[in-house]
Structure formats: C-alpha cells, structure tokens
Amino acid sequence: MLVLFFVVFIDLVGFGIVIPLLPFFGEHFQASPDVVTLLLATYSITQLISAPVLGRLSDKYGRRPILLFSLLGSIITYVWLGFAETLMMLFIARAFNGFMAGNIATAFAYIADITTPENRAKGMGVIGAAFGLGFIAGPAIGGILAGPDAANPNFQLPALTAAALSAFAFILAIVKLKESLSEDARAKIANMPPRKHWQSFFETLMRPRLGLLIALSFLCTFVFAGMETTFAMWTRREFGWGPEQNGYLFAFLGIVSALIQGGLIGRLSKKFGEGKLVMVGSLLLGIGIGLIPFSDSVTLLLIATTILAIGFALSTPSLNSLISFEAGETERGGVMGASRSAATLARVLGPILAGILFAQLGRDIPYYAGFVIMLIVAAIALVKLSNQRAPKADKA
C-alpha cells in the first residue's frame, strides 16, 4: 500500500501543479469563463470514457500494467500541454491527459484487492490522503512556478515539472509496485462471458444500493468540481489573485484533506460508520460552499474553504468504501471503474453548469446552487445511509 500511496501522490502532485494555472491559461487565449470551465471539463470527459475501460482491463490483465501505461501517457501529455500555442492545442492536450487519468479507478481497485472490509475505509482514506498531499504540494509548486502575476504567468515551467514528476512515478512503479490481483481472480475473470464496458456501467447503476451510493458520490463531486473550476476566476475578481495565491489556498485545502483522510477517517468510520460520515460530510461541504459568496476577507474565505474541505474529505472515502463492499473480487475493478466514471461525469457537468451560471447569472450563483444540492444529499444520506458501515467479514 505504501508504494501505491507514493505513486498516486507523485502523480497527483503533477496533476495539482496545473490546477491553479489552467484558468489563466484559458483566459490567456481569450476564453470566456464558460469556455474556461469547459476546458477543465474536457479532462473529465475523456477520463469518463477511459475509467471503465481501464478498470475492466485491470481486471483482466492486472492492476500494475494499466497503472504503468497510464503514467507513461501522462508524461507525454504534460509535455504537450507545456508547448500548447493555441486554445485548440490546449483542449487536445487536456483531453489526452484526462484519458490517462482513468487510472485512478485502477488505484481504488488495487486498494480493494489488498484490504479487509474492516480496513477498507482506512485504505480508501490512504489514497484520499495521497490526493490531499498531492494537492498540498502540487498547487503550491504550480503557483510558485507560474508566478503571482495574473496577466503574465509562466505556463511552460509548471507543465514540464508535472511531466518530470510523472516520469519519476513511472520509474517508481516499475521498480517497486507489485501486482495486487491474484492469478486465481484473473483466471475467473478470463472465464467470464465478455461484456461491453458501458453495458457493465449501466448494469452497475441498476443495482439499487450501489446505484444510490454512486449517485450520492456523483452529486458530491458535481458540487466540489463546480467550485474548484470557478474558484480562481472568483478570487481574481474579488481579491485580484493570480496563480500563486490560488496555489497556496489549494495547498491549504490539501493539508486539511490529508489530515482527515490520512489520519482520522479510519477511526471515525469504525466509531460512527461510513453512512453517518457521508451525511455529516455532505452537510459540511454544503455549508462551506454556501459561505464563499459571503467571504469579503481572506479570513472568511479560509473558514469557508476549510469547512468544505473537511466535508469533502469525510464523504468521499466513506462513499468509496461503501461502494467497494457491494463488489465481489472478480468485479471490483469494473465496479470501481463505474463509480469513478460517475464521479468523472460529475467533473464534466459540474464545471460546465458552474461556468454557465458564473458567466450568465453572476459569480456567486454556482455556490448558492451547490449549497442547495448538498442539503439534499445530506437529507438522503440521513434517511438511507445513517446505519451503514463496514461488514464484519468479506463475503466476496
């Protein structure tokens, strides 16, 4: 698990480096706010396509080969991003980069392979902590490399640094990462009748409990992604911030997320159960995002974003853990791939809707809408999930 943690962490540092940069990159090519959010959504569109495909391929051929393939592709696409000279080149680079990012479903399946049901929330939290720590280092590094000037940031250096970090993760995975899927499991999968990837995706959604969990994961990610992709444009207009200041704030959110997902989520899930954590986390996410429009000082903004970061850090690994309990050994890659596809679809639609609301109705409207959605999620979780927790024994 430690090796996978470092591979995901390094990969997410590379991803995080470009987060505070992309809105300014898009506006550099004269893109409007709704086009900027579409640029960010493009990454998720292709990730949506690749996640179930890579998840199923990892069931058949093993987790390790898929992780290596996707890391190699990330290296190439970050270099491409750094040398983009037109808005169209930027869109294409982000599309290919998103396709390779479908490997996250494989990483979650890897964790499901090597953990017991009692420890699965903790294992999912470890991957969540790698995400959080990646967002600590990545945005801060990207912001520093791009510079504080919103009008003239350095676009090339952060992208090439991300490529170098992905190359390091690729080498580490080759040397240290072992295969997690047993030969017996792969043999069972090989003997199963072939199914189309998207047929499997829709079949997964039709399973009632699993479909509900994936729907809640979709809505949490939908709201968070809308905030994430409009936030730099909001702070630029409210405080005059550039990539560097946004990078530091995203790094702060990463610290909060890593502390919860890496240190507390396992103990909290054992004490309260994953269902209660989903309810509380979604409520906090809604409160935090609803406070952003009222943040007329940096102090208030830090309070609002801390609350939303805590909420997202509680709800996401808890939902992933509950989803994994619904999958048997031979279908975990596919189920986690379907789950990641739904979350990635949220990262497509969330930014698009937030961008439209931002451009057409005002910069505060996406956050008000997110607040309402998360209240609905919290209510559903209270009614449907409050008693759900890890099973005592693995029935897979």
Side-chain angles (χ1 to χ4, degrees), residues 113-314:
D113 292 339
I114 65 175
T115 56
T116 64
E118 292 84 355
N119 293 323
R120 193 152 303 157
K122 181 179 179 181
M124 296 298 176
V126 167
I127 296 299
F131 273 72
L133 289 171
F135 277 111
I136 294 170
I141 293 171
I144 292 170
L145 294 177
D149 187 354
N152 296 292
N154 186 327
F155 297 119
Q156 192 173 83
L157 186 57
L160 295 180
T161 302
L165 288 169
S166 291
F168 181 73
F170 176 73
I171 294 170
L172 180 63
I174 288 178
V175 175
K176 294 291 186 178
L177 191 67
K178 297 180 180 179
E179 179 56 56
S180 65
L181 190 62
S182 67
E183 291 290 342
D184 289 342
R186 274 183 278 177
K188 291 178 184 177
I189 295 167
N191 292 326
M192 292 171 64
R195 292 184 296 172
K196 294 181 179 180
H197 299 299
W198 288 104
Q199 177 186 345
S200 174
F201 173 73
F202 288 113
E203 288 175 357
T204 298
L205 295 183
M206 292 301 294
R207 292 159 62 174
R209 289 181 61 189
L210 190 52
L212 173 65
L213 293 169
I214 291 176
L216 295 182
S217 178
F218 170 90
L219 290 173
C220 289
T221 306
F222 178 90
V223 169
F224 189 83
M227 178 282 299
E228 189 178 49
T229 53
T230 57
F231 189 77
M233 294 184 291
W234 190 91
T235 58
R236 182 177 185 177
R237 287 156 177 78
E238 181 69 21
F239 300 117
W241 283 7
E244 185 173 357
Q245 296 91 339
N246 282 285
Y248 287 139
L249 191 135
F250 276 112
F252 170 72
L253 299 185
I255 293 173
V256 174
S257 178
L259 288 174
I260 293 172
Q261 297 194 73
L264 294 177
I265 192 69
R267 282 175 284 178
L268 290 173
S269 66
K270 288 180 180 179
K271 184 173 182 178
F272 299 106
E274 286 83 349
K276 286 187 174 66
L277 295 185
V278 173
M279 179 192 67
V280 173
S282 56
L283 180 61
L284 291 176
L285 175 55
I287 292 171
I289 203 166
L291 288 175
I292 289 177
F294 300 97
S295 301
D296 55 2
S297 69
V298 174
T299 299
L300 289 176
L301 185 64
L302 287 175
I303 293 171
T305 52
T306 299
I307 293 171
L308 74 87
I310 292 172
F312 196 65
L314 288 174

Side-chain angles (χ1 to χ4, degrees), residues 323-339:
I323 289 167
S324 74
F325 299 147
E326 300 296 319
E329 181 185 29
T330 61
E331 62 173 1
R332 281 178 187 149
V335 168
M336 298 311 294
S339 173

Side-chain angles (χ1 to χ4, degrees), residues 317-328:
S318 300
L319 282 165
N320 285 329
S321 181
L322 291 173
I323 289 167
S324 74
F325 299 147
E326 300 296 319

Side-chain angles (χ1 to χ4, degrees), residues 19 27 35 83 356:
I19 288 295
E27 291 188 327
V35 174
F83 288 97
I356 293 172

